[in-house]
Amino acid sequence: MSDSWVPNSASGQDPGGRRRAWAELLAGRVKREKYNPERAQKLKESAVRLLRSHQDLNALLLEVEGPLCKKLSLSKVIDCDSSEAYANHSSSFIGSALQDQASRLGVPVGILSAGMVASSVGQICTAPAETSHPVLLTVEQRKKLSSLLEFAQYLLAHSMFSRLSFCQELWKIQSSLLLEAVWHLHVQGIVSLQELLESHPDMHAVGSWLFRNLCCLCEQMEASCQHADVARAMLSDFVQMFVLRGFQKNSDLRRTVEPEKMPQVTVDVLQRMLIFALDALAAGVQEESSTHKIVRCWYVPEGGLPECAAGRCLPN
């Protein structure tokens, strides 16, 4: 009797020969667990870690929710040909979808949206570039980034965007992050240069990254007439920030970040530039060489010294 009963159970059939569904087989076997606040918090933290560690957030959302999550794609929002009215409608729609998705995943919507925007910034920056080590965006990249930042401003205005999480996500794509993109984030009020730089866990590493990119910016300023205005504005803003923050005496008590971080970065970059220039002079670099162009651009920018040299620079 027992031998004849086992096959029926394994095949999912009841004694009458009717095949039972898995839901019926499992009914009554799963005990409902009582709500545990501590366990719920751990699950929430695990979900946040999964979002932050996943390389492709859109792919992760598809894994969780299926094809319907394709509606969360930002491709339409950053479409250069989309009209302003359509872009606003798309921002509202995607913002609503993000809120729903965050609710289902059990994570703050600000973290979810920050990861998605950072991922899109990375995709824009990794598009085909004009130079081997670019710091400037192409015209097409600049248009797409502008549309994306409009969407980010919408999220900020509706308290659906975490600045801190966004900064952390950006540094994960540091190797592909273009300096001009960082500058636009500052100018458009998404995250300030100071806020972004201070969020990096390694001040020496971020100083090295800045120095390398600023050298490339100076070198490309004279080689590119198409982006000259943008490059000059970038260099001016960076120099003003370095001088203002590097030699300030009174720390801003309103800041929530550690006050010693920013002077550490700015002084590090200024020292690197000074040593670079002194080494170039000692080596007797030839005029019109890349090194000569960098030194000339940094210390004698077109149009004379920046306003901060006369003590008139303003924060941010």
Side-chain angles (χ1 to χ4, degrees):
M1 291 294 291
S2 61
D3 292 341
S4 61
W5 178 79
V6 173
N8 286 337
S9 298
S11 61
Q13 293 182 348
D14 58 19
R18 181 175 64 87
R19 183 175 292 277
R20 291 177 293 174
W22 276 108
E24 294 180 78
L25 292 170
L26 297 177
R29 289 174 170 79
V30 180
K31 296 181 179 180
R32 183 180 297 275
E33 296 184 5
K34 294 182 179 180
Y35 176 72
N36 187 330
E38 183 178 352
R39 183 172 180 272
Q41 181 62 27
K42 288 182 178 180
L43 287 174
K44 183 176 180 180
E45 293 174 355
S46 297
V48 171
R49 285 196 299 270
L50 180 61
L51 286 173
R52 287 177 172 172
S53 63
H54 204 284
Q55 296 298 318
D56 188 342
L57 182 58
N58 289 326
L60 175 61
L61 293 176
L62 285 174
E63 291 175 15
V64 175
E65 287 293 323
L68 290 178
C69 274
K70 289 182 178 179
K71 294 179 181 179
L72 286 176
S73 173
L74 299 183
S75 58
K76 292 184 179 181
V77 174
I78 63 177
D79 183 1
C80 300
D81 298 325
S82 62
S83 64
E84 182 178 355
Y86 182 79
N88 290 337
H89 175 75
S90 298
S91 296
S92 177
F93 173 78
I94 295 179
S96 177
L98 279 170
Q99 285 182 316
D100 293 341
Q101 187 65 32
S103 178
R104 290 175 187 145
L105 293 174
V107 297
V109 65
I111 292 178
L112 183 63
S113 62
M116 179 164 287
V117 174
S119 176
S120 297
V121 171
Q123 292 173 11
I124 292 173
C125 289
T126 54
E130 298 175 344
T131 60
S132 58
H133 188 102
V135 291
L136 299 173
L137 299 166
T138 64
V139 174
E140 187 73 10
Q141 287 174 311
R142 197 169 292 136
K143 289 180 180 179
K144 289 185 177 181
L145 183 64
S146 177
S147 298
L148 177 63
L149 297 189
E150 287 182 11
F151 173 66
Q153 288 173 333
Y154 170 88
L155 294 174
L156 276 170
H158 291 80
S159 302
M160 297 167 57
F161 190 82
S162 170
R163 292 174 182 265
L164 177 59
S165 294
F166 181 64
C167 292
Q168 293 171 341
E169 294 299 322
L170 282 180
W171 288 126
K172 291 180 181 179
I173 57 170
Q174 178 177 334
S175 59
S176 59
L177 186 61
L178 299 186
L179 190 64
E180 185 184 340
V182 171
W183 178 71
H184 281 294
L185 291 171
H186 169 80
V187 173
Q188 298 298 323
I190 307 303
V191 289
S192 67
L193 293 172
Q194 179 174 339
E195 186 177 4
L196 180 60
L197 296 179
E198 288 183 323
S199 68
H200 198 287
D202 188 340
M203 294 296 99
H204 179 77
V206 76
S208 177
W209 180 83
L210 264 176
F211 169 72
R212 183 173 63 255
N213 280 274
L214 287 170
C215 286
C216 291
L217 175 64
C218 291
E219 186 177 357
Q220 293 174 27
M221 276 183 64
E222 297 187 5
S224 175
C225 297
Q226 184 179 9
H227 309 289
D229 291 342
V230 173
R232 282 195 294 269
M234 288 173 58
L235 184 61
S236 176
D237 282 352
F238 275 106
V239 171
Q240 288 187 27
M241 181 188 67
F242 291 156
V243 173
L244 178 68
R245 302 304 184 191
F247 300 99
Q248 64 182 9
K249 293 183 178 180
N250 298 321
S251 60
D252 188 349
L253 298 179
R254 295 171 297 175
R255 292 192 295 149
T256 58
V257 295
E258 298 178 16
E260 71 275 7
K261 281 188 175 182
M262 198 58 199
Q264 180 181 344
V265 176
T266 55
V267 170
D268 180 42
V269 174
L270 291 174
Q271 286 180 339
R272 287 173 184 268
M273 281 295 187
L274 178 59
I275 293 173
F276 181 82
L278 293 176
D279 288 344
L281 291 174
V285 295
Q286 296 181 351
E287 191 172 348
E288 300 306 321
S289 66
S290 60
T291 302
H292 184 271
K293 290 179 181 179
I294 293 171
V295 174
R296 180 175 61 190
C297 181
W298 179 259
Y299 288 99
V300 190
E302 184 176 345
L305 295 174
E307 289 186 353
C308 58
R312 297 192 297 272
C313 54
L314 298 175
N316 296 335

